[in-house]
Amino acid sequence: MKILNELYAGKAKTVYETDDSERLVLRFRDDTSAFDGAKIEQLARKGMVNNRTNAFIMEKLEAAGIVTHFDRLLSANEAVVKRLDMIPIECVVRNISSGSICKRLGVEEGLTLLPPTFEFFLKDDARHDPMVNEFHIRSFGWASEDEVAAMKTQTFAVNDCLKALFAEAGLLLVDYKLEFGRYQGDVVLGDEFTADGCRLWDAKTREKLDKDRFRQGLGGVVEAYEEVAHRLGVDLD
Ligand code: CDP
């Protein structure tokens, strides 16, 4: 496979076109960003750890019947994915309160949410990813009613699969963000699933092992991501 021109550079990944019009290459960089790009640092090894962790999780999701864009690993920090027409919406499920919901609703961190709660956000850094509802998504034409339903169903299916997977590794899946796109008429899971886009706490101590270590300046960010990978059984060598 030949990598051609750069299509898009995000905050932590760069996307390349390839000689296959149906496939893109994702390069996971060491850049780590928070607060809509206001805080950015390079963290050695993070690109590799996230690329391999993402591949491991996407394969688990595929095995559970969730269709994803993941095709295969290409190198330590690159993966081949299906080329999707991305929907500009972030889908968030929360099993435990943390982050923006605590500020928005004035609730304390660490509450178990039963049922798990669900939110949509518009992908728009300049406006700090505002929360939107299903009507906004349909009325402004970001996605159809069927696509909204598919995103919701698949986001909850991911919760069933990954809550169990992380529990076996002694981790609590606190919350996570997913993005979807269209591929040959279907809604398919895109983007990534890594500790950059979810919250993971040690099940016993509730120690944070995700990007909150970076956001909150706790240190040991990549070490925490590696700990998650080791507990899951991801091959990092
Ligand atoms: O992360 P923050 O407190 O700003 O927002 P949140 O709404 O509490 O985030 C919920 C989950 O989605 C967390 O696991 C975030 O890491 C993730 N998220 C993300 O990956 N990208 C965003 N633009 C917003 C949230």
Side-chain angles (χ1 to χ4, degrees):
M1 164 162 291
K2 227 173 148 186
I3 296 181
L4 302 177
N5 53 302
E6 180 181 314
L7 190 62
Y8 173 79
K11 294 192 287 289
K13 298 190 292 301
T14 308
V15 184
Y16 296 90
E17 289 190 304
T18 70
D19 53 357
D20 179 345
S21 63
E22 297 272 298
R23 293 286 182 276
L24 299 174
V25 165
L26 298 185
R27 182 171 297 156
F28 288 74
R29 308 194 313 269
D30 287 342
D31 299 295
T32 312
S33 81
F35 313 119
D36 301 315
K39 176 176 178 178
I40 301 178
E41 278 173 35
Q42 309 267 313
L43 300 175
R45 290 172 65 81
K46 199 204 66 156
M48 177 277 290
V49 175
N50 276 4
N51 183 41
R52 295 206 159 123
T53 303
N54 177 62
F56 180 92
I57 289 176
M58 290 284 170
E59 282 172 353
K60 293 285 181 193
L61 294 175
E62 288 277 355
I66 296 157
V67 182
T68 81
H69 69 157
F70 183 77
D71 181 2
R72 61 192 163 90
L73 279 173
L74 187 64
S75 69
N77 64 345
E78 294 167 321
V80 180
V81 297
K82 294 176 190 129
R83 183 179 194 141
L84 307 186
D85 168 25
M86 291 304 291
I87 298 171
I89 295 294
E90 300 184 338
C91 301
V92 170
V93 159
R94 300 174 192 273
N95 294 304
I96 299 177
S97 60
S98 188
S100 73
I101 201 169
C102 296
K103 279 199 199 127
R104 202 174 337 109
L105 303 183
V107 296
E108 68 183 272
E109 182 173 64
L111 303 176
T112 298
L113 305 176
L114 276 176
T117 197
F118 185 99
E119 294 158 351
F120 288 115
F121 297 92
L122 177 65
K123 238 181 116 61
D124 186 342
D125 272 348
R127 289 177 181 76
H128 307 293
D129 295 343
M131 189 188 234
V132 291
N133 67 30
E134 298 187 19
F135 278 89
H136 297 132
I137 296 173
R138 291 165 52 199
S139 303
F140 292 106
W142 295 314
S144 70
E145 186 174 3
D146 286 351
E147 289 170 340
V148 167
M151 288 194 287
K152 242 166 44 176
T153 304
Q154 291 183 52
T155 302
F156 278 115
V158 166
N159 203 32
D160 292 338
C161 174
L162 295 189
K163 247 193 326 192
L165 184 79
F166 286 117
E168 280 172 31
L171 296 164
L172 292 172
L173 178 58
V174 172
D175 60 26
Y176 57 91
K177 181 264 303 181
L178 302 180
E179 294 179 28
F180 293 88
R182 305 173 183 97
Y183 186 76
Q184 297 175 354
D186 290 324
V187 172
V188 169
L189 178 62
D191 192 42
E192 66 180 87
F193 196 107
T194 66
D196 269 355
C198 71
R199 290 191 169 93
L200 294 166
W201 294 352
D202 179 86
K204 280 206 191 94
T205 65
R206 295 208 155 193
E207 184 189 6
K208 295 178 198 283
L209 296 169
D210 55 63
K211 199 160 87 174
D212 271 350
R213 299 201 70 83
F214 177 71
R215 294 188 188 96
Q216 299 174 8
L218 300 175
V221 181
V222 177
E223 290 79 359
Y225 288 24
E226 285 177 322
E227 167 76 16
V228 168
H230 282 307
R231 290 202 205 178
L232 288 172
V234 178
D235 186 4
L236 293 182
D237 299 319

